[in-house]
Amino acid sequence: MSAAQRLEDKVAIITGGAAGMGRAMCERFGEEGAIVVVADLDLAGAEAVADSIRQAGGRATPLPVDVTSKAQVDELVSRTVAAHGRLDIIMNNAGYGQAKRMLEITEAEWDRMQAVNVKGVFFGIQAAARQMIAQGDGGRILSTASIAGRRGNPYTAHYNVSKASVIQLTMCAALDLAPHGITVNAICPGIVDTQFWRSLDEEWSAIEGWETGEAWQRRTATIPLGRPEVATDVVGLVAFLASEDAGYITGQSYNVCGGLVMT
Ligand SMILES: NC(=O)c1ccc[n+]([C@@H]2O[C@H](COP(=O)([O-])OP(=O)(O)OC[C@H]3O[C@@H](n4cnc5c(N)ncnc54)[C@H](O)[C@@H]3O)[C@@H](O)[C@H]2O)c1
């Protein structure tokens, strides 16, 4: 079996699939033969990604979801199973960031960050696992954490905590689900050129009194591999972790960051 067929006929949900790394993952999964459910708050964006996968000869279904709602996440899984008969893979990738001085982060901002980045991942894991356990033949659960979950940064306390939680959830869920043959892993991207970092750069540069773009320039200048990360840099690892070849890997969170963080 060639790499291009690694995910043949696997039914895969990718949240946050309308843009950035989620979009890149959806397109790679489509190329590798998966039936891709492109799930996002932005339904028009998800439809555009599904169209591009179909135009390239793949299979894809766009579905709306707000991952902060357990009911909507459950419905995403049930609609996927109604349309495609089963669920083999979920990638809990939807998330967002914000740069703000720690003393100015409000209760609502703290709660929203944890709702999207932690609760959304937790209920994604739970809904997918229930379906996979009922199917009885294992499954692959993946999430997007961040190198921010492994260290401190100024201005992103609520974000870093949310991503440390994703790394913890990955380990805990891996143990709960191992008896069912379901593996649970995460990726930790670095500084990736998506809308996420464009917003973060504006906020971060404004806090410092810099021109827009300067936070991005300063942070990316420290990357050992010498260039900013792009969305497609993560897709090879994600497709591998979703494949049969990764069957003996669980509870792990992998840095994909050009060497910025090594622990
Ligand atoms: N860009 C980076 O440098 C970076 C680094 C490490 C980790 N990450 C993480 O990677 C993931 C993807 O980020 P990206 O950089 O591709 O960002 P992006 O902004 O390009 O894409 C994020 C997508 O998630 C969707 N989304 C946001 N909130 C949602 C919700 N409540 N329900 C459903 N969908 C929602 C958005 O509509 C968007 O399509 C996020 O979890 C982010 O925290 C990003």
Side-chain angles (χ1 to χ4, degrees):
M1 183 176 284
S2 74
Q5 298 168 312
R6 270 190 302 202
L7 304 179
E8 197 66 41
D9 295 333
K10 299 288 185 193
V11 179
I13 294 173
I14 299 177
T15 69
M21 284 183 274
R23 177 177 188 138
M25 292 172 203
C26 287
E27 289 174 345
R28 170 59 78 90
F29 274 42
E31 286 164 16
E32 297 218 20
I35 299 162
V36 188
V37 175
V38 185
D40 207 289
L41 259 184
D42 172 9
L43 182 58
E47 283 167 347
V49 173
D51 282 348
S52 98
I53 292 170
R54 287 193 218 103
Q55 276 164 23
R59 290 170 289 177
T61 306
L63 286 178
V65 72
D66 178 348
V67 298
T68 66
S69 159
K70 178 184 182 302
Q72 288 192 32
V73 173
D74 288 346
E75 197 186 339
L76 172 65
V77 170
S78 59
R79 287 183 70 179
T80 297
V81 174
H84 302 298
R86 54 182 290 116
L87 176 65
D88 300 293
I89 301 159
I90 190 166
M91 186 357 144
N92 300 295
N93 166 76
Y96 79 105
Q98 180 191 30
K100 203 163 180 191
R101 288 184 199 278
M102 196 191 76
L103 297 187
E104 293 169 9
I105 293 170
T106 66
E107 185 176 4
E109 287 166 340
W110 175 271
D111 286 348
R112 173 84 190 151
M113 187 68 73
Q114 311 316 315
V116 178
N117 291 5
V118 186
K119 187 173 136 179
V121 171
F122 179 68
F123 286 111
I125 292 173
Q126 212 181 49
R130 288 203 176 104
Q131 175 61 29
M132 289 169 182
I133 290 169
Q135 290 167 189
D137 55 358
R140 296 275 182 272
I141 295 179
L142 302 168
S143 304
T144 304
S146 169
I147 58 168
R150 299 200 186 278
R151 63 179 191 179
N153 289 111
Y155 315 139
T156 54
H158 49 345
Y159 179 72
N160 286 41
V161 167
S162 76
K163 293 302 185 178
S165 297
V166 174
I167 293 170
Q168 269 297 327
L169 270 176
T170 299
M171 293 189 281
C172 295
L175 292 173
D176 269 50
L177 299 175
H180 302 283
I182 299 167
T183 65
V184 187
N185 294 291
I187 62 162
C188 296
I191 304 172
V192 193
D193 189 3
T194 64
Q195 182 54 46
F196 170 104
W197 237 100
R198 285 187 278 280
S199 306
L200 203 69
D201 168 71
E202 273 183 29
E203 293 164 348
W204 192 325
S205 297
I207 293 170
E208 299 283 8
W210 297 333
E211 294 292 312
T212 299
E214 198 168 340
W216 168 262
Q217 292 298 339
R218 288 184 187 226
R219 297 285 290 111
T220 55
T222 65
I223 296 171
L225 282 180
R227 66 164 174 83
E229 189 164 348
V230 292
T232 50
D233 282 324
V234 302
V235 299
L237 176 63
V238 176
F240 165 71
L241 290 172
S243 75
E244 297 297 327
D245 283 342
Y248 201 64
I249 299 173
T250 197
Q252 309 301 312
S253 292
Y254 292 99
N255 299 337
V256 190
C257 63
L260 259 180
V261 171
M262 298 192 178
T263 54

PDB file of all heavy atoms in Angstrom, residues 21-56:
ATOM      1  N   MET A  21      -4.368  25.125   9.359  1.00  0.00           N
ATOM      2  CA  MET A  21      -3.866  23.741   9.412  1.00  0.00           C
ATOM      3  C   MET A  21      -4.981  22.726   9.202  1.00  0.00           C
ATOM      4  O   MET A  21      -4.758  21.666   8.602  1.00  0.00           O
ATOM      5  CB  MET A  21      -3.163  23.498  10.748  1.00  0.00           C
ATOM      6  CG  MET A  21      -1.798  24.144  10.794  1.00  0.00           C
ATOM      7  SD  MET A  21      -0.930  23.796  12.333  1.00  0.00           S
ATOM      8  CE  MET A  21      -1.570  25.101  13.372  1.00  0.00           C
ATOM      9  N   GLY A  22      -6.202  23.035   9.705  1.00  0.00           N
ATOM     10  CA  GLY A  22      -7.317  22.102   9.513  1.00  0.00           C
ATOM     11  C   GLY A  22      -7.616  21.899   8.039  1.00  0.00           C
ATOM     12  O   GLY A  22      -7.844  20.780   7.586  1.00  0.00           O
ATOM     13  N   ARG A  23      -7.592  22.977   7.293  1.00  0.00           N
ATOM     14  CA  ARG A  23      -7.825  22.872   5.848  1.00  0.00           C
ATOM     15  C   ARG A  23      -6.741  21.997   5.196  1.00  0.00           C
ATOM     16  O   ARG A  23      -7.038  21.112   4.381  1.00  0.00           O
ATOM     17  CB  ARG A  23      -7.827  24.261   5.204  1.00  0.00           C
ATOM     18  CG  ARG A  23      -7.983  24.166   3.709  1.00  0.00           C
ATOM     19  CD  ARG A  23      -8.068  25.483   2.967  1.00  0.00           C
ATOM     20  NE  ARG A  23      -8.410  25.136   1.582  1.00  0.00           N
ATOM     21  CZ  ARG A  23      -9.268  25.765   0.825  1.00  0.00           C
ATOM     22  NH1 ARG A  23      -9.876  26.826   1.262  1.00  0.00           N
ATOM     23  NH2 ARG A  23      -9.530  25.340  -0.395  1.00  0.00           N
ATOM     24  N   ALA A  24      -5.493  22.250   5.563  1.00  0.00           N
ATOM     25  CA  ALA A  24      -4.389  21.474   4.992  1.00  0.00           C
ATOM     26  C   ALA A  24      -4.533  19.991   5.339  1.00  0.00           C
ATOM     27  O   ALA A  24      -4.279  19.109   4.507  1.00  0.00           O
ATOM     28  CB  ALA A  24      -3.052  22.020   5.489  1.00  0.00           C
ATOM     29  N   MET A  25      -4.967  19.702   6.566  1.00  0.00           N
ATOM     30  CA  MET A  25      -5.182  18.302   6.970  1.00  0.00           C
ATOM     31  C   MET A  25      -6.304  17.676   6.146  1.00  0.00           C
ATOM     32  O   MET A  25      -6.197  16.539   5.678  1.00  0.00           O
ATOM     33  CB  MET A  25      -5.568  18.228   8.450  1.00  0.00           C
ATOM     34  CG  MET A  25      -4.471  18.606   9.420  1.00  0.00           C
ATOM     35  SD  MET A  25      -5.208  18.671  11.099  1.00  0.00           S
ATOM     36  CE  MET A  25      -4.047  19.759  11.918  1.00  0.00           C
ATOM     37  N   CYS A  26      -7.418  18.419   5.975  1.00  0.00           N
ATOM     38  CA  CYS A  26      -8.553  17.897   5.193  1.00  0.00           C
ATOM     39  C   CYS A  26      -8.086  17.546   3.782  1.00  0.00           C
ATOM     40  O   CYS A  26      -8.424  16.481   3.246  1.00  0.00           O
ATOM     41  CB  CYS A  26      -9.675  18.933   5.113  1.00  0.00           C
ATOM     42  SG  CYS A  26     -10.583  19.153   6.650  1.00  0.00           S
ATOM     43  N   GLU A  27      -7.316  18.444   3.173  1.00  0.00           N
ATOM     44  CA  GLU A  27      -6.888  18.208   1.784  1.00  0.00           C
ATOM     45  C   GLU A  27      -5.962  16.995   1.710  1.00  0.00           C
ATOM     46  O   GLU A  27      -6.085  16.170   0.811  1.00  0.00           O
ATOM     47  CB  GLU A  27      -6.264  19.488   1.217  1.00  0.00           C
ATOM     48  CG  GLU A  27      -7.371  20.522   0.998  1.00  0.00           C
ATOM     49  CD  GLU A  27      -6.920  21.913   0.569  1.00  0.00           C
ATOM     50  OE1 GLU A  27      -5.712  22.225   0.686  1.00  0.00           O
ATOM     51  OE2 GLU A  27      -7.773  22.701   0.138  1.00  0.00           O
ATOM     52  N   ARG A  28      -5.050  16.850   2.680  1.00  0.00           N
ATOM     53  CA  ARG A  28      -4.149  15.682   2.660  1.00  0.00           C
ATOM     54  C   ARG A  28      -4.948  14.392   2.887  1.00  0.00           C
ATOM     55  O   ARG A  28      -4.729  13.384   2.222  1.00  0.00           O
ATOM     56  CB  ARG A  28      -3.055  15.834   3.718  1.00  0.00           C
ATOM     57  CG  ARG A  28      -2.232  14.572   3.920  1.00  0.00           C
ATOM     58  CD  ARG A  28      -1.514  14.101   2.642  1.00  0.00           C
ATOM     59  NE  ARG A  28      -0.337  14.867   2.362  1.00  0.00           N
ATOM     60  CZ  ARG A  28       0.894  14.574   2.815  1.00  0.00           C
ATOM     61  NH1 ARG A  28       1.088  13.500   3.542  1.00  0.00           N
ATOM     62  NH2 ARG A  28       1.910  15.348   2.521  1.00  0.00           N
ATOM     63  N   PHE A  29      -5.904  14.426   3.832  1.00  0.00           N
ATOM     64  CA  PHE A  29      -6.707  13.229   4.088  1.00  0.00           C
ATOM     65  C   PHE A  29      -7.492  12.851   2.825  1.00  0.00           C
ATOM     66  O   PHE A  29      -7.629  11.676   2.510  1.00  0.00           O
ATOM     67  CB  PHE A  29      -7.658  13.458   5.265  1.00  0.00           C
ATOM     68  CG  PHE A  29      -7.058  13.193   6.617  1.00  0.00           C
ATOM     69  CD1 PHE A  29      -5.770  13.602   6.918  1.00  0.00           C
ATOM     70  CD2 PHE A  29      -7.784  12.528   7.600  1.00  0.00           C
ATOM     71  CE1 PHE A  29      -5.205  13.364   8.170  1.00  0.00           C
ATOM     72  CE2 PHE A  29      -7.232  12.276   8.860  1.00  0.00           C
ATOM     73  CZ  PHE A  29      -5.946  12.700   9.142  1.00  0.00           C
ATOM     74  N   GLY A  30      -8.013  13.862   2.121  1.00  0.00           N
ATOM     75  CA  GLY A  30      -8.719  13.586   0.869  1.00  0.00           C
ATOM     76  C   GLY A  30      -7.802  12.913  -0.144  1.00  0.00           C
ATOM     77  O   GLY A  30      -8.178  11.938  -0.801  1.00  0.00           O
ATOM     78  N   GLU A  31      -6.574  13.418  -0.262  1.00  0.00           N
ATOM     79  CA  GLU A  31      -5.599  12.829  -1.204  1.00  0.00           C
ATOM     80  C   GLU A  31      -5.256  11.398  -0.816  1.00  0.00           C
ATOM     81  O   GLU A  31      -4.941  10.570  -1.666  1.00  0.00           O
ATOM     82  CB  GLU A  31      -4.290  13.637  -1.193  1.00  0.00           C
ATOM     83  CG  GLU A  31      -4.380  14.972  -1.907  1.00  0.00           C
ATOM     84  CD  GLU A  31      -3.202  15.895  -1.547  1.00  0.00           C
ATOM     85  OE1 GLU A  31      -2.186  15.420  -1.002  1.00  0.00           O
ATOM     86  OE2 GLU A  31      -3.335  17.106  -1.791  1.00  0.00           O
ATOM     87  N   GLU A  32      -5.301  11.115   0.495  1.00  0.00           N
ATOM     88  CA  GLU A  32      -4.913   9.777   0.966  1.00  0.00           C
ATOM     89  C   GLU A  32      -6.095   8.814   1.016  1.00  0.00           C
ATOM     90  O   GLU A  32      -5.998   7.735   1.595  1.00  0.00           O
ATOM     91  CB  GLU A  32      -4.234   9.879   2.332  1.00  0.00           C
ATOM     92  CG  GLU A  32      -2.942  10.687   2.241  1.00  0.00           C
ATOM     93  CD  GLU A  32      -1.818  10.156   3.104  1.00  0.00           C
ATOM     94  OE1 GLU A  32      -1.876   8.983   3.495  1.00  0.00           O
ATOM     95  OE2 GLU A  32      -0.885  10.927   3.363  1.00  0.00           O
ATOM     96  N   GLY A  33      -7.244   9.218   0.440  1.00  0.00           N
ATOM     97  CA  GLY A  33      -8.358   8.290   0.260  1.00  0.00           C
ATOM     98  C   GLY A  33      -9.423   8.319   1.330  1.00  0.00           C
ATOM     99  O   GLY A  33     -10.396   7.554   1.267  1.00  0.00           O
ATOM    100  N   ALA A  34      -9.277   9.200   2.337  1.00  0.00           N
ATOM    101  CA  ALA A  34     -10.288   9.244   3.403  1.00  0.00           C
ATOM    102  C   ALA A  34     -11.580   9.890   2.910  1.00  0.00           C
ATOM    103  O   ALA A  34     -11.582  10.661   1.945  1.00  0.00           O
ATOM    104  CB  ALA A  34      -9.746  10.029   4.600  1.00  0.00           C
ATOM    105  N   ILE A  35     -12.667   9.574   3.605  1.00  0.00           N
ATOM    106  CA  ILE A  35     -13.930  10.299   3.453  1.00  0.00           C
ATOM    107  C   ILE A  35     -13.884  11.375   4.532  1.00  0.00           C
ATOM    108  O   ILE A  35     -13.940  11.063   5.726  1.00  0.00           O
ATOM    109  CB  ILE A  35     -15.123   9.340   3.649  1.00  0.00           C
ATOM    110  CG1 ILE A  35     -15.078   8.234   2.586  1.00  0.00           C
ATOM    111  CG2 ILE A  35     -16.442  10.107   3.633  1.00  0.00           C
ATOM    112  CD1 ILE A  35     -15.921   7.019   2.923  1.00  0.00           C
ATOM    113  N   VAL A  36     -13.724  12.627   4.103  1.00  0.00           N
ATOM    114  CA  VAL A  36     -13.386  13.696   5.042  1.00  0.00           C
ATOM    115  C   VAL A  36     -14.627  14.504   5.423  1.00  0.00           C
ATOM    116  O   VAL A  36     -15.311  15.051   4.549  1.00  0.00           O
ATOM    117  CB  VAL A  36     -12.351  14.666   4.409  1.00  0.00           C
ATOM    118  CG1 VAL A  36     -11.863  15.661   5.463  1.00  0.00           C
ATOM    119  CG2 VAL A  36     -11.177  13.905   3.809  1.00  0.00           C
ATOM    120  N   VAL A  37     -14.902  14.594   6.706  1.00  0.00           N
ATOM    121  CA  VAL A  37     -15.949  15.488   7.192  1.00  0.00           C
ATOM    122  C   VAL A  37     -15.262  16.777   7.642  1.00  0.00           C
ATOM    123  O   VAL A  37     -14.517  16.795   8.626  1.00  0.00           O
ATOM    124  CB  VAL A  37     -16.760  14.848   8.332  1.00  0.00           C
ATOM    125  CG1 VAL A  37     -17.756  15.849   8.908  1.00  0.00           C
ATOM    126  CG2 VAL A  37     -17.471  13.607   7.805  1.00  0.00           C
ATOM    127  N   VAL A  38     -15.503  17.836   6.861  1.00  0.00           N
ATOM    128  CA  VAL A  38     -14.896  19.136   7.125  1.00  0.00           C
ATOM    129  C   VAL A  38     -15.841  19.881   8.057  1.00  0.00           C
ATOM    130  O   VAL A  38     -16.916  20.328   7.647  1.00  0.00           O
ATOM    131  CB  VAL A  38     -14.710  19.934   5.811  1.00  0.00           C
ATOM    132  CG1 VAL A  38     -13.960  21.232   6.094  1.00  0.00           C
ATOM    133  CG2 VAL A  38     -13.996  19.104   4.752  1.00  0.00           C
ATOM    134  N   ALA A  39     -15.464  19.986   9.333  1.00  0.00           N
ATOM    135  CA  ALA A  39     -16.378  20.536  10.343  1.00  0.00           C
ATOM    136  C   ALA A  39     -15.849  21.875  10.843  1.00  0.00           C
ATOM    137  O   ALA A  39     -14.681  21.977  11.214  1.00  0.00           O
ATOM    138  CB  ALA A  39     -16.500  19.552  11.508  1.00  0.00           C
ATOM    139  N   ASP A  40     -16.723  22.878  10.870  1.00  0.00           N
ATOM    140  CA  ASP A  40     -16.261  24.205  11.292  1.00  0.00           C
ATOM    141  C   ASP A  40     -17.459  25.073  11.660  1.00  0.00           C
ATOM    142  O   ASP A  40     -18.575  24.870  11.174  1.00  0.00           O
ATOM    143  CB  ASP A  40     -15.471  24.872  10.150  1.00  0.00           C
ATOM    144  CG  ASP A  40     -14.431  25.885  10.655  1.00  0.00           C
ATOM    145  OD1 ASP A  40     -14.828  26.968  11.130  1.00  0.00           O
ATOM    146  OD2 ASP A  40     -13.222  25.575  10.581  1.00  0.00           O
ATOM    147  N   LEU A  41     -17.184  26.094  12.475  1.00  0.00           N
ATOM    148  CA  LEU A  41     -18.147  27.178  12.731  1.00  0.00           C
ATOM    149  C   LEU A  41     -18.497  27.867  11.421  1.00  0.00           C
ATOM    150  O   LEU A  41     -19.620  28.312  11.212  1.00  0.00           O
ATOM    151  CB  LEU A  41     -17.463  28.251  13.588  1.00  0.00           C
ATOM    152  CG  LEU A  41     -17.686  28.377  15.070  1.00  0.00           C
ATOM    153  CD1 LEU A  41     -16.930  29.601  15.585  1.00  0.00           C
ATOM    154  CD2 LEU A  41     -19.168  28.484  15.408  1.00  0.00           C
ATOM    155  N   ASP A  42     -17.497  28.012  10.575  1.00  0.00           N
ATOM    156  CA  ASP A  42     -17.615  28.704   9.291  1.00  0.00           C
ATOM    157  C   ASP A  42     -18.060  27.685   8.228  1.00  0.00           C
ATOM    158  O   ASP A  42     -17.222  27.041   7.585  1.00  0.00           O
ATOM    159  CB  ASP A  42     -16.246  29.318   8.956  1.00  0.00           C
ATOM    160  CG  ASP A  42     -16.172  29.892   7.553  1.00  0.00           C
ATOM    161  OD1 ASP A  42     -17.217  29.987   6.869  1.00  0.00           O
ATOM    162  OD2 ASP A  42     -15.046  30.232   7.139  1.00  0.00           O
ATOM    163  N   LEU A  43     -19.392  27.539   8.065  1.00  0.00           N
ATOM    164  CA  LEU A  43     -19.898  26.511   7.150  1.00  0.00           C
ATOM    165  C   LEU A  43     -19.530  26.824   5.702  1.00  0.00           C
ATOM    166  O   LEU A  43     -19.180  25.920   4.935  1.00  0.00           O
ATOM    167  CB  LEU A  43     -21.415  26.352   7.302  1.00  0.00           C
ATOM    168  CG  LEU A  43     -22.031  25.257   6.421  1.00  0.00           C
ATOM    169  CD1 LEU A  43     -21.403  23.884   6.698  1.00  0.00           C
ATOM    170  CD2 LEU A  43     -23.546  25.197   6.607  1.00  0.00           C
ATOM    171  N   ALA A  44     -19.579  28.110   5.313  1.00  0.00           N
ATOM    172  CA  ALA A  44     -19.216  28.461   3.929  1.00  0.00           C
ATOM    173  C   ALA A  44     -17.762  28.071   3.654  1.00  0.00           C
ATOM    174  O   ALA A  44     -17.434  27.545   2.586  1.00  0.00           O
ATOM    175  CB  ALA A  44     -19.433  29.955   3.689  1.00  0.00           C
ATOM    176  N   GLY A  45     -16.899  28.311   4.631  1.00  0.00           N
ATOM    177  CA  GLY A  45     -15.490  27.914   4.488  1.00  0.00           C
ATOM    178  C   GLY A  45     -15.347  26.409   4.384  1.00  0.00           C
ATOM    179  O   GLY A  45     -14.564  25.892   3.574  1.00  0.00           O
ATOM    180  N   ALA A  46     -16.109  25.675   5.204  1.00  0.00           N
ATOM    181  CA  ALA A  46     -16.055  24.205   5.162  1.00  0.00           C
ATOM    182  C   ALA A  46     -16.548  23.691   3.810  1.00  0.00           C
ATOM    183  O   ALA A  46     -15.991  22.739   3.246  1.00  0.00           O
ATOM    184  CB  ALA A  46     -16.888  23.620   6.302  1.00  0.00           C
ATOM    185  N   GLU A  47     -17.595  24.344   3.279  1.00  0.00           N
ATOM    186  CA  GLU A  47     -18.109  23.940   1.957  1.00  0.00           C
ATOM    187  C   GLU A  47     -17.053  24.153   0.883  1.00  0.00           C
ATOM    188  O   GLU A  47     -16.873  23.319  -0.014  1.00  0.00           O
ATOM    189  CB  GLU A  47     -19.387  24.722   1.635  1.00  0.00           C
ATOM    190  CG  GLU A  47     -20.585  24.173   2.396  1.00  0.00           C
ATOM    191  CD  GLU A  47     -21.811  25.100   2.374  1.00  0.00           C
ATOM    192  OE1 GLU A  47     -21.668  26.279   1.971  1.00  0.00           O
ATOM    193  OE2 GLU A  47     -22.888  24.632   2.799  1.00  0.00           O
ATOM    194  N   ALA A  48     -16.328  25.258   0.968  1.00  0.00           N
ATOM    195  CA  ALA A  48     -15.284  25.543  -0.036  1.00  0.00           C
ATOM    196  C   ALA A  48     -14.168  24.495   0.023  1.00  0.00           C
ATOM    197  O   ALA A  48     -13.664  24.048  -1.017  1.00  0.00           O
ATOM    198  CB  ALA A  48     -14.712  26.950   0.184  1.00  0.00           C
ATOM    199  N   VAL A  49     -13.803  24.083   1.238  1.00  0.00           N
ATOM    200  CA  VAL A  49     -12.746  23.060   1.375  1.00  0.00           C
ATOM    201  C   VAL A  49     -13.250  21.727   0.822  1.00  0.00           C
ATOM    202  O   VAL A  49     -12.531  21.039   0.078  1.00  0.00           O
ATOM    203  CB  VAL A  49     -12.305  22.920   2.850  1.00  0.00           C
ATOM    204  CG1 VAL A  49     -11.347  21.745   3.032  1.00  0.00           C
ATOM    205  CG2 VAL A  49     -11.661  24.219   3.327  1.00  0.00           C
ATOM    206  N   ALA A  50     -14.497  21.372   1.171  1.00  0.00           N
ATOM    207  CA  ALA A  50     -15.062  20.110   0.655  1.00  0.00           C
ATOM    208  C   ALA A  50     -15.112  20.136  -0.873  1.00  0.00           C
ATOM    209  O   ALA A  50     -14.788  19.141  -1.531  1.00  0.00           O
ATOM    210  CB  ALA A  50     -16.446  19.880   1.253  1.00  0.00           C
ATOM    211  N   ASP A  51     -15.487  21.277  -1.454  1.00  0.00           N
ATOM    212  CA  ASP A  51     -15.509  21.397  -2.926  1.00  0.00           C
ATOM    213  C   ASP A  51     -14.123  21.169  -3.503  1.00  0.00           C
ATOM    214  O   ASP A  51     -13.966  20.478  -4.506  1.00  0.00           O
ATOM    215  CB  ASP A  51     -15.969  22.810  -3.342  1.00  0.00           C
ATOM    216  CG  ASP A  51     -17.483  22.950  -3.232  1.00  0.00           C
ATOM    217  OD1 ASP A  51     -18.165  21.913  -3.065  1.00  0.00           O
ATOM    218  OD2 ASP A  51     -17.965  24.102  -3.295  1.00  0.00           O
ATOM    219  N   SER A  52     -13.118  21.769  -2.881  1.00  0.00           N
ATOM    220  CA  SER A  52     -11.766  21.639  -3.447  1.00  0.00           C
ATOM    221  C   SER A  52     -11.287  20.192  -3.343  1.00  0.00           C
ATOM    222  O   SER A  52     -10.596  19.698  -4.237  1.00  0.00           O
ATOM    223  CB  SER A  52     -10.794  22.650  -2.818  1.00  0.00           C
ATOM    224  OG  SER A  52     -10.030  22.075  -1.809  1.00  0.00           O
ATOM    225  N   ILE A  53     -11.679  19.486  -2.268  1.00  0.00           N
ATOM    226  CA  ILE A  53     -11.301  18.065  -2.144  1.00  0.00           C
ATOM    227  C   ILE A  53     -11.985  17.251  -3.249  1.00  0.00           C
ATOM    228  O   ILE A  53     -11.361  16.414  -3.915  1.00  0.00           O
ATOM    229  CB  ILE A  53     -11.681  17.522  -0.741  1.00  0.00           C
ATOM    230  CG1 ILE A  53     -10.801  18.183   0.322  1.00  0.00           C
ATOM    231  CG2 ILE A  53     -11.567  15.997  -0.688  1.00  0.00           C
ATOM    232  CD1 ILE A  53     -11.230  17.916   1.757  1.00  0.00           C
ATOM    233  N   ARG A  54     -13.274  17.540  -3.476  1.00  0.00           N
ATOM    234  CA  ARG A  54     -14.006  16.802  -4.518  1.00  0.00           C
ATOM    235  C   ARG A  54     -13.427  17.081  -5.893  1.00  0.00           C
ATOM    236  O   ARG A  54     -13.295  16.187  -6.723  1.00  0.00           O
ATOM    237  CB  ARG A  54     -15.495  17.154  -4.470  1.00  0.00           C
ATOM    238  CG  ARG A  54     -16.199  16.534  -3.282  1.00  0.00           C
ATOM    239  CD  ARG A  54     -17.714  16.638  -3.458  1.00  0.00           C
ATOM    240  NE  ARG A  54     -18.334  16.915  -2.182  1.00  0.00           N
ATOM    241  CZ  ARG A  54     -18.787  18.098  -1.783  1.00  0.00           C
ATOM    242  NH1 ARG A  54     -18.729  19.151  -2.577  1.00  0.00           N
ATOM    243  NH2 ARG A  54     -19.331  18.247  -0.600  1.00  0.00           N
ATOM    244  N   GLN A  55     -13.089  18.354  -6.134  1.00  0.00           N
ATOM    245  CA  GLN A  55     -12.514  18.698  -7.446  1.00  0.00           C
ATOM    246  C   GLN A  55     -11.196  17.972  -7.678  1.00  0.00           C
ATOM    247  O   GLN A  55     -10.833  17.675  -8.819  1.00  0.00           O
ATOM    248  CB  GLN A  55     -12.307  20.204  -7.554  1.00  0.00           C
ATOM    249  CG  GLN A  55     -13.592  20.911  -7.995  1.00  0.00           C
ATOM    250  CD  GLN A  55     -13.542  22.409  -7.728  1.00  0.00           C
ATOM    251  OE1 GLN A  55     -12.474  22.990  -7.616  1.00  0.00           O
ATOM    252  NE2 GLN A  55     -14.708  23.025  -7.625  1.00  0.00           N
ATOM    253  N   ALA A  56     -10.494  17.675  -6.599  1.00  0.00           N
ATOM    254  CA  ALA A  56      -9.221  16.949  -6.730  1.00  0.00           C
ATOM    255  C   ALA A  56      -9.438  15.434  -6.789  1.00  0.00           C
ATOM    256  O   ALA A  56      -8.480  14.667  -6.771  1.00  0.00           O
ATOM    257  CB  ALA A  56      -8.312  17.314  -5.555  1.00  0.00           C
TER     258      ALA A  56
END
